[in-house]
Amino acid sequence: MNNRFDTSAPDSEAKRPRGRPRKTVDERDDGNRRQAVLAAAAQLFRQKGFSATTTRDIAAAAGMQSGSPFYHFKSKEALLFAVMEAGMHTALARQAAAVQAHGHANAPADQQLRQLVQAHFDVLLGPGNDFVPVMLYESRSLPQRERKLVAQLISQYEALWVPVLNGLHASGQLRAPVGLSRLLMLGALNWSVQWFDPQKGSSVNDLVDAAMALFLGPSATTHTLSGDAARPSTE
Amino acid sequence: MNNRFDTSAPDSEAKRPRGRPRKTVDERDDGNRRQAVLAAAAQLFRQKGFSATTTRDIAAAAGMQSGSPFYHFKSKEALLFAVMEAGMHTALARQAAAVQAHGHANAPADQQLRQLVQAHFDVLLGPGNDFVPVMLYESRSLPQRERKLVAQLISQYEALWVPVLNGLHASGQLRAPVGLSRLLMLGALNWSVQWFDPQKGSSVNDLVDAAMALFLGPSATTHTLSGDAARPSTE
DNA sequence: CCTACCGATCGGTAGG
DNA sequence: CCTACCGATCGGTAGG
């Protein structure tokens, strides 16, 4: 079990004594244990699915009694939503970092795409990252309202792909329509959680290379030949 | 509810009287009602997931009493396996037809790929086809032994993609490594069950076109230029 | 966060 | 395939 998760945790992790938190009456302790429940839930939801996971399973994995998760979360569904929300926040944060790194506006579109793909795989396949897979494969179990909130976060995430794909389409590096391309590409990436095994041959970097080669085909890496290379930079 | 499923049903569908089957003592009636249970299970498993679906749900959807599905299937898990097996059999049958249609050996590799992609989308997105999506997204709920059987059918299915992809790789139309290409491509296709809506813009044919354009990039449709166009036909 | 508990539901079965 | 039923489990809560 990894305890290296940054999932939307407030900045209060460092100077707390080890072991079970002290029970001085005034302390609400909304950090440590809550995170433990969240992480246990993420792992179990991913492993067995939401419905097949028992709140008792989660409690046990977090080292609590059967009723205790409900001290931290109103319901099992609320827990699921919290997992997904945390997952999307790490995804959005990682993506923002990627965009700043090399996609700083008029960088070559294929370089920008590579950053997005890299970030996507990282957040999907990185160690201890069960949150995003849960979000991808269990949203069916969410109540309508929460499902819409998650859908909004996903839209926000996908929105950053559109200008990059538009650029690639304009320069002829991407032939398929942008909308369907986005859906198909993200599908190819998302499906990797079903089969990827870091100890089984290829690394995440291999995956990035393969995806880029698959999506962009020949003449992806080196060329500035196309006529309309410079679109009016919006910044 | 569609009652147009060919899922591994034996050839005994035609000359039976309409309405509830007669209860003459000698008749085991292993066709009609069993199929009804199977179809109801497929639809519900897909809609709500295996664990969230009740055998009572299935019974009700098939117009039976709560205990009756167990007359046809030993357990809920056996029902799940039956759904998946049926799904894979239609998939394999459809694929075989596709391979015969245009992939008749030394046809252009991209034409062969198009047939495979077309067949895949058909079986995945066709009306009343909940069996394959269930197989794709619920195998986690299968017991080990059955899971391996399903995995074998999947391997059998994927095996037909390999020579086609090898051909495309040899001719330079597919740049990414064949193994990862297969996984990424099938991921792109499989993910479509999550978002595809026939009433929402694009048709299955649009999807096929987009996938082909995405995977093969420029110079996919017309060319016989490569040097090693004729590999020794194995037939 | 634990103890003790409730009402509801679920997969499955006997016996016809 | 129906009737009637069982044992087990589950999400959730009161009350501290």
Side-chain angles (χ1 to χ4, degrees), chain A residues 33 64 68 71:
Chain A
R33 308 302 297 151
M64 306 171 165
S68 301
Y71 169 75

Side-chain angles (χ1 to χ4, degrees), chain A residues 99-182:
Chain A
V99 169
Q100 282 186 331
H102 272 271
H104 210 66
N106 40 19
D110 57 334
Q111 292 288 350
Q112 294 184 51
L113 180 63
R114 172 175 282 273
Q115 293 299 318
L116 289 176
V117 171
Q118 175 84 253
H120 199 84
F121 275 131
D122 282 351
V123 96
L124 217 55
L125 306 174
N129 245 328
D130 298 311
F131 294 75
V132 174
V134 167
M135 193 260 302
L136 288 176
Y137 289 96
E138 299 294 332
S139 47
R140 179 177 48 187
S141 301
L142 273 187
Q144 277 282 337
R145 242 191 56 235
E146 283 83 352
R147 201 183 313 186
K148 279 180 187 166
L149 292 173
V150 171
Q152 282 177 18
L153 291 174
I154 294 180
S155 294
Q156 193 179 332
Y157 184 86
E158 295 193 0
L160 273 129
W161 290 66
V162 178
V164 177
L165 297 184
N166 278 333
L168 290 165
H169 192 74
S171 71
Q173 292 178 86
L174 183 72
R175 271 190 32 183
V178 169
L180 289 177
S181 289
R182 194 192 73 241

